[in-house]
Amino acid sequence: MRACIYVRLSVLRERDPSLSPVSQEEACRQYAESQGWEVVRVIEDLDQSAYRHGERLNRPGLQEAIQMCTSGEADVILSKRPDRFARSAADGIELSQMPGVRLATPGSGLIGASAFEQFQSGLGFLLSELESAQLAERQIDSIDKRRREGRRTTDIPYGFRFYRGDDNGAYLEADPDQKPIVVEAARRMVEGESANAIARDLNKRSVPTRRGHGNWTATTVKRILRNPLVCHGWSMHNGALVRDDDGNPLVIMQPLLRPSVVSKLSQMSWFTPTRGERVTPGRKHKYPL
């Protein structure tokens, strides 16, 4: 039997050495040798999730492996574990039932070769889905806990920097170089100057942006000045305010702007983002152009 080895890694970091690409390939080669199978190809999907952004089964490497089976170049797709094929039970079952496609893992052998094995493989994919759901829950709980403790969990907003606490955790504090820029921009906006004029002036003065490169724009200035952390010291996650047990916005630090300045800024038309500007963090805008 001719086997195509399929290797997948969600993120190009080897936190779990047993899932490194080398480890996955080695385990598959050892199993293929024990079964007398010929390895005709090794295909990788690196930095490819099996569960997010609509990728699912549409990963380039997996599609290539499927094509090898359907064209007769390979008889089976061999991967180290069922969750390398799919993180969803529905996706795993759909893949295992594709005409001409046979799957195998060292722990389960051929997947779906008999009625019992189909049932067994379904359980394997269900366990993979459960593992993904539990991992997501742990990540959410961890982020929520760190947020409540005032720790940094995302990119550092302009006007802040992080420092290491006694517990070695990353915490936010006002950046002594960037805070005056934020205060200045807020004062000039309150005095009636436009965001475009402020951005042009910051560029003329070669004031570094948050990333240290690129140009200031009116949108950047407005986004900084309406950041809840800048205005109120409120923490946010995934575009929503983090709240305490009483439902109030969670204050994790001293804001950069005085309440009187924030009150005047909040009365300006640009302070509340329009529908087109509300983009979930980490997700591209639906209409990027």
Side-chain angles (χ1 to χ4, degrees):
M1 185 173 289
R2 296 163 299 169
C4 168
I5 293 178
Y6 176 69
V7 173
R8 184 183 68 79
L9 197 64
S10 294
V11 182
L12 289 175
R13 289 194 302 268
E14 297 181 10
R15 290 182 176 178
D16 182 355
S18 68
L19 285 182
S20 69
V22 173
S23 173
Q24 291 185 48
E25 181 181 343
E26 182 179 353
C28 290
R29 284 190 179 277
Q30 289 177 354
Y31 180 77
E33 183 178 354
S34 70
Q35 299 298 307
W37 295 353
E38 176 191 1
V39 175
V40 294
R41 184 82 178 275
V42 177
I43 296 178
E44 296 180 337
D45 264 331
L46 302 184
D47 203 21
Q48 289 284 334
S49 170
Y51 208 73
R52 69 170 186 266
H53 305 325
E55 292 163 1
R56 301 287 186 172
L57 298 179
N58 295 321
R59 288 160 267 147
L62 181 60
Q63 288 299 313
E64 187 177 353
I66 292 172
Q67 179 63 31
M68 288 192 67
C69 276
T70 56
S71 66
E73 298 177 65
D75 302 306
V76 62
I77 305 174
L78 175 61
S79 199
K80 183 174 182 179
R81 294 186 343 200
D83 62 8
R84 300 302 90 194
F85 290 121
R87 280 288 192 176
S88 159
D91 290 345
I93 293 172
E94 177 185 345
L95 177 63
S96 66
Q97 294 180 347
M98 286 184 179
V101 175
R102 301 187 73 182
L103 309 178
T105 66
S108 305
L110 285 171
I111 294 177
S114 66
F116 176 75
E117 289 172 350
Q118 289 178 12
F119 172 75
Q120 190 178 38
S121 65
L123 288 179
F125 288 123
L126 278 173
L127 288 174
S128 297
E129 184 171 339
L130 175 61
E131 181 183 352
S132 288
Q134 290 176 329
L135 177 61
E137 287 179 354
R138 288 196 296 269
Q139 290 175 334
I140 291 171
D141 290 342
S142 175
I143 290 173
D144 183 64
K145 180 177 183 294
R146 283 180 284 162
R147 284 279 179 175
R148 290 176 181 274
E149 293 173 349
R151 295 192 186 188
R152 179 178 68 91
T153 58
T154 57
D155 288 341
I156 305 173
Y158 189 87
F160 299 90
R161 67 182 182 182
F162 83 89
Y163 67 93
R164 289 290 176 186
D166 296 336
D167 59 354
N168 202 37
Y171 294 86
L172 287 176
E173 65 179 1
D175 187 301
D177 296 323
Q178 295 179 359
K179 178 180 177 180
I181 302 299
V182 177
V183 173
E184 174 194 340
R187 173 184 58 77
R188 294 170 68 174
M189 289 288 284
V190 168
E191 291 175 353
E193 196 168 351
S194 71
N196 274 315
I198 296 172
R200 286 195 299 269
D201 181 55
L202 293 176
N203 288 325
K204 183 178 179 180
R205 289 156 49 188
S206 299
V207 175
T209 60
R210 180 176 66 84
R211 297 186 183 277
H213 58 81
N215 294 323
W216 287 87
T217 66
T219 301
T220 303
V221 173
K222 292 176 181 177
R223 184 179 293 119
I224 290 172
L225 295 182
R226 65 188 176 207
N227 187 327
L229 194 62
V230 170
C231 296
H232 307 287
W234 292 345
S235 180
M236 295 191 69
H237 179 61
N238 281 348
L241 287 172
V242 177
R243 299 182 180 275
D244 59 23
D245 294 336
D246 296 324
N248 300 314
L250 186 66
V251 178
I252 65 170
M253 64 181 304
Q254 186 74 20
L256 300 187
L257 301 178
R258 298 195 308 271
S260 59
V261 174
V262 175
S263 176
K264 293 176 181 178
L265 291 174
S266 65
Q267 296 173 20
M268 299 181 179
S269 59
W270 56 266
F271 192 81
T272 302
T274 61
R275 183 176 180 180
E277 292 178 292
R278 293 173 182 167
V279 182
T280 302
R283 182 175 299 172
K284 294 182 180 179
H285 198 287
K286 184 177 180 182
Y287 304 106
L289 301 180

